Amino acid sequence: MAKHCRSGGNLEVMGMLCGKTAGDTFLVLDCFALPVVGTETRVNAQAEAYEYMVSFVQARQQVGRREHVIGWYHSHPGYGCWMSGIDCSTQLLNQQYTEPFVALVIDPVRTCASGRVNVGAFRTFPLGYSPPDDTRLKYQTVPTNKIKDFGVHANQYYCLNTSFFKSSRVSAVLAAAWNNYWVNTLSSSPLHTNQTFVAGQITDIAEKVMLSDCLESPHQKKNSVCTSKVAAAQHCKLLLSAYDGSIISMEQTKGSASRALKESIFNFAVKPGKVLSNQGTLVRER
C-alpha cells in the first residue's frame, strides 16, 4: 500500500483491502490498487473502477484466494492521516451496504520522511449519532489549506488502533531484501532526503503564525476588543505552531546526530604512528 501511494506522487491514489475479521478486529492480509486517477485533493472510484474490482475479486477466488474485501485505502500525500468530507461519505456508504468495512489513509510523504509507515484506520459514525467528547481525534500537523476540512468533519468518524504482523515467509523475504540493500539504507541521510518536506513544513508553520491575530500591530490592537476566549484561542494556535516546530527540530537533531555517529564510525582514520588496541583505544607504536 505504501509503495502504491508513493507512486502517485502528489496525486491521491486508491485501492481495496482484502482479509477477514476476528471479533472486532480487521485483519488485512492483502490489497490491490484500483485504476483511479485522483487529484491533489481528492480521489473517488467511478463505474470503471467498480467493474475492475468485481472482476479482480472473482479472479482471486478462481485461484483459491478466499479473502473478502473488507475495506479501502487511499493516500494523503503530505497532509496527514484523517478523513475529508468525501472520504466520510464514501466510508458511510460502504458501511451501510458492505459491512464490515474499514478505511485506511496513508501519507506517503511523511512515511518516507520518518522511515515508518504513516497510516490511520477509520470508521464513520451512523447518521444522526452525536459522538462524546472523548472520541475527538488526536492532534496532528495539518497544512494551512487543509485545516478547515480537517475540523469540519472530525466528529463524523473515529480512529482505530493499528498494528503490524508478518508471517515467517514475509520475514525471510524482508531479511533477504535487507541483505541486498542495507548499504543504501545505512548510507542514506534524512537531512538530504527530507529537504523538500522540511522546507514545506517550515513554510506552513510560518503561514500559521502570520495568520494568527496575536501578531497584530499595536495600532490595530488599540482599535480592537479582544475577549478572553479569543485571546485563549489565539494563544492555543501559537502553542500548536510551536509544537509543530519542536517536532521538526527534533527530527533534524536526530538526523544530525545520526550523520555524526556514522562519520565517527566509518570515516575514522588512524594517524600514522598509531594503532588500535583490542580495547579500541589508541596506543603509540615503539
Side-chain angles (χ1 to χ4, degrees):
M1 287 184 287
K3 184 178 180 180
H4 176 219
C5 293
R6 178 61 177 170
S7 66
N10 294 328
L11 301 180
E12 292 190 11
V13 297
M14 178 181 175
M16 306 304 297
L17 307 173
C18 298
K20 59 183 180 180
T21 57
D24 57 354
T25 303
F26 290 88
L27 299 177
V28 180
L29 304 176
D30 198 1
C31 66
F32 61 93
L34 290 180
V36 177
V37 179
T39 66
E40 295 183 356
T41 57
R42 64 183 61 184
V43 61
N44 196 10
Q46 303 299 327
E48 295 181 358
Y50 286 112
E51 293 177 0
Y52 176 86
M53 179 178 62
V54 172
S55 61
F56 191 93
V57 171
Q58 293 176 349
R60 284 173 53 88
Q61 294 176 351
Q62 293 176 0
V63 297
R65 300 296 299 270
R66 301 302 179 185
E67 297 90 357
H68 299 285
V69 174
I70 60 171
W72 67 295
Y73 72 90
H74 70 286
S75 61
H76 276 187
Y79 45 94
C81 299
W82 45 277
M83 299 275 280
S84 65
I86 295 179
D87 300 337
C88 291
S89 300
T90 302
Q91 177 62 21
L92 181 61
L93 182 65
N94 287 322
Q95 286 183 200
Q96 290 176 346
Y97 297 101
T98 57
E99 188 75 324
F101 215 80
V102 66
L104 294 186
V105 182
I106 300 175
D107 188 337
V109 177
R110 299 188 182 185
T111 295
C112 295
S114 62
R116 55 184 179 272
V117 180
N118 191 266
V119 59
F122 307 99
R123 280 173 57 83
T124 54
F125 291 113
L127 289 175
Y129 177 78
S130 298
D133 294 336
D134 56 357
T135 59
R136 289 179 296 181
L137 299 177
K138 182 180 178 181
Y139 172 77
Q140 59 178 303
T141 304
V142 179
T144 306
N145 59 341
K146 299 290 184 180
I147 290 180
K148 185 177 180 180
D149 196 21
F150 171 77
V152 169
H153 309 283
N155 62 345
Q156 298 181 16
Y157 63 95
Y158 58 96
C159 181
L160 304 178
N161 295 326
T162 58
S163 60
F164 298 90
F165 65 93
K166 56 185 177 181
S167 63
S168 57
R169 180 176 299 179
V170 173
S171 300
V173 172
L174 293 177
W178 172 253
N179 291 334
N180 291 332
Y181 300 107
W182 68 271
V183 175
N184 295 335
T185 303
L186 191 61
S187 60
S188 63
S189 173
L191 297 178
H192 297 289
T193 56
N194 300 336
Q195 286 182 351
T196 304
F197 174 72
V198 172
Q201 291 286 89
I202 295 175
T203 302
D204 186 71
I205 293 176
E207 292 178 357
K208 292 178 181 178
V209 173
M210 294 300 295
L211 290 176
S212 175
D213 293 335
C214 286
L215 297 181
E216 294 177 339
S217 64
H219 175 72
Q220 291 174 323
K221 289 184 178 180
K222 291 181 180 179
N223 298 330
S224 61
V225 178
C226 185
T227 63
S228 58
K229 290 185 178 180
V230 174
Q234 294 170 345
H235 182 65
C236 181
K237 291 180 180 179
L238 289 178
L239 289 178
L240 293 178
S241 298
Y243 174 76
D244 294 340
S246 65
I247 294 178
I248 298 177
S249 299
M250 288 187 293
E251 293 295 334
Q252 292 299 98
T253 302
K254 291 179 182 178
S256 300
S258 175
R259 184 175 64 178
L261 180 62
K262 292 176 183 178
E263 289 181 353
S264 64
I265 295 176
F266 300 104
N267 297 335
F268 179 76
V270 180
K271 295 182 179 179
K274 296 183 179 181
V275 295
L276 285 174
S277 66
N278 293 334
Q279 288 77 22
T281 57
L282 288 173
V283 296
R284 186 176 299 276
E285 292 181 333
R286 296 184 181 274

